[in-house]
Amino acid sequence: MADDGPVEHGYPHLETVRAAITALYRRLSYAGVRTFATSVSPGDVAFCDTDDLHLGAQRVARELVRHYRLPDARLIVSFREMTHAANVELTAGPEYFVELNDRFRTHRQDIGAALAHEVMHVCLHRMDLSFPGLRDNEILTDTAATYLGAGWLLLDAFRQDGVSSQKLGYLTPEEFGYVLAKRALVFGEDPSTWFTSPQGYEAYLDGRALARRDEQQPPLTAAGWRGRRHYARDRREAQNQGGPPAGQPAAPYSFVRTDGEPLRVSFACPTCRQRIRVPVRGRIRARCGLCRTVLECDT
């Protein structure tokens, strides 16, 4: 939890975030991800200053347990002085003990954000899905919470002015915005109306721009003129090479030729980021086997 300190911006964890989205699809499957088509609504986790602290926290925790499809999990929420925003004890269940920072006694509007992260830890624990290392595992948790419909609360908890700042989670605000936009593109949501934080909304717009650029990279037909021109040049060089060709190091695609096989181009699915390999033969329609996205390509 960044509290009145510097807030990291940009996309330093982007590759891990993208790997986390792929891992979610592989573990849950297309059908499993689709069961989270509806996000947590602001009203479901609203917390008024007149609400009883502990009863209100338990109510929000139950709502997140329901949203994450954990019907047999029970969360016991308490508050104590600590460095981090929250902590959860991962056991065999069905009871899980969550500790929230004492700060949330007076910042009750952000209790839902803190619990969205901690309950997702329980969810991933139940799925037996994790990344090696604390940093990457926390990035996975933030990404999963956001992509499955509750992590927008973490982005909305980002606030900054001339004298103070607050940010929850391990992703930067822009990375939260990117994941939220990827989800919005899949489910046709418009999360912009949920934000109470102007800084959170601005970060969402930044992330949305990057998410849309994912869908405008060659060999997709939505790629711009410049990208198509670079792709045509790389394809021509690949076709003229005697050995295994490859795209430019910074290109979002690479070319592959195996013995006796025609030239193929490999690129990441703009939805789930799994690598797709298709023949180089002009306009084709490809279907991602993981997330079932149909892609219009000009290879």
Side-chain angles (χ1 to χ4, degrees):
M1 177 173 63
D3 182 9
D4 297 338
V7 174
E8 187 176 25
H9 287 276
Y11 300 92
H13 317 112
L14 185 58
E15 291 309 310
T16 307
V17 167
R18 287 170 167 170
I21 293 174
T22 307
L24 275 179
Y25 274 96
R26 287 176 177 165
R27 183 55 53 92
L28 290 177
S29 78
Y30 164 81
V33 171
R34 298 298 300 188
T35 63
F36 294 90
T38 302
S39 289
V40 171
S41 71
D44 290 337
V45 292
F47 206 121
C48 179
D49 286 344
T50 59
D51 290 344
D52 179 272
L53 176 65
H54 292 87
L55 292 179
Q58 293 295 151
R59 172 182 56 80
V60 173
R62 285 195 300 271
E63 177 59 32
L64 289 165
V65 165
R66 182 203 63 78
H67 176 78
Y68 287 142
R69 313 290 194 275
L70 299 170
D72 59 337
R74 297 190 299 273
L75 267 69
I76 311 300
V77 183
S78 62
F79 297 81
R80 73 174 177 88
E81 188 174 336
M82 57 196 300
T83 302
H84 298 292
N87 180 63
V88 63
E89 182 182 345
L90 295 176
T91 63
E95 290 188 341
Y96 298 89
F97 293 89
V98 178
E99 295 176 319
L100 299 183
N101 192 300
D102 267 340
R103 173 189 178 92
F104 293 111
R105 292 179 181 271
T106 54
H107 292 72
R108 300 183 181 187
Q109 74 273 22
D110 297 324
I111 285 178
L115 288 174
H117 180 94
E118 299 308 318
V119 181
M120 178 48 69
H121 269 303
V122 176
C123 188
L124 294 174
H125 177 67
R126 293 282 191 92
M127 287 190 225
D128 193 26
L129 176 59
S130 64
F131 279 179
L134 174 63
R135 169 188 168 276
D136 286 1
N137 204 52
E138 294 291 355
I139 291 170
L140 168 65
T141 303
D142 277 343
T143 303
T146 306
Y147 203 83
L148 298 184
W152 68 268
L153 291 160
L154 287 154
L155 179 53
D156 195 41
F158 168 52
R159 301 183 193 91
Q160 201 166 32
D161 56 35
V163 295
S164 64
S165 63
Q166 172 186 279
K167 187 188 80 71
L168 302 181
Y170 287 74
L171 300 185
T172 67
E174 292 77 16
E175 287 168 341
F176 271 120
Y178 172 79
V179 180
L180 183 58
K182 299 291 279 187
R183 172 187 166 79
L185 289 168
V186 168
F187 294 112
E189 286 184 331
D190 180 13
S192 61
T193 59
W194 303 337
F195 287 102
T196 63
S197 163
Q199 295 79 25
Y201 177 66
E202 289 298 322
Y204 166 66
L205 294 181
D206 193 296
R208 186 177 67 180
L210 179 59
R212 286 176 172 170
R213 286 199 293 274
D214 284 350
E215 300 186 329
Q216 298 168 350
Q217 298 292 334
L220 301 175
T221 56
W225 175 82
R226 185 182 298 274
R228 296 297 311 156
R229 183 182 178 186
H230 288 170
Y231 178 82
R233 181 194 61 199
D234 292 343
R235 179 183 58 198
R236 185 168 55 252
E237 292 179 358
Q239 289 170 329
N240 293 335
Q241 283 184 7
Q248 292 180 321
Y253 51 82
S254 60
F255 295 98
V256 180
R257 180 189 288 117
T258 55
D259 294 339
E261 295 290 333
L263 185 67
R264 292 176 177 268
V265 60
S266 172
F267 61 98
C269 170
T271 299
C272 69
R273 306 302 302 178
Q274 175 173 260
R275 299 296 293 185
I276 297 173
R277 186 181 295 182
V278 296
V280 174
R281 64 183 187 198
R283 282 188 174 258
I284 61 172
R285 178 175 291 176
R287 184 186 182 97
C288 177
L290 185 58
C291 68
R292 303 187 186 178
T293 301
V294 176
L295 305 169
E296 298 290 341
C297 306
D298 186 356
T299 61

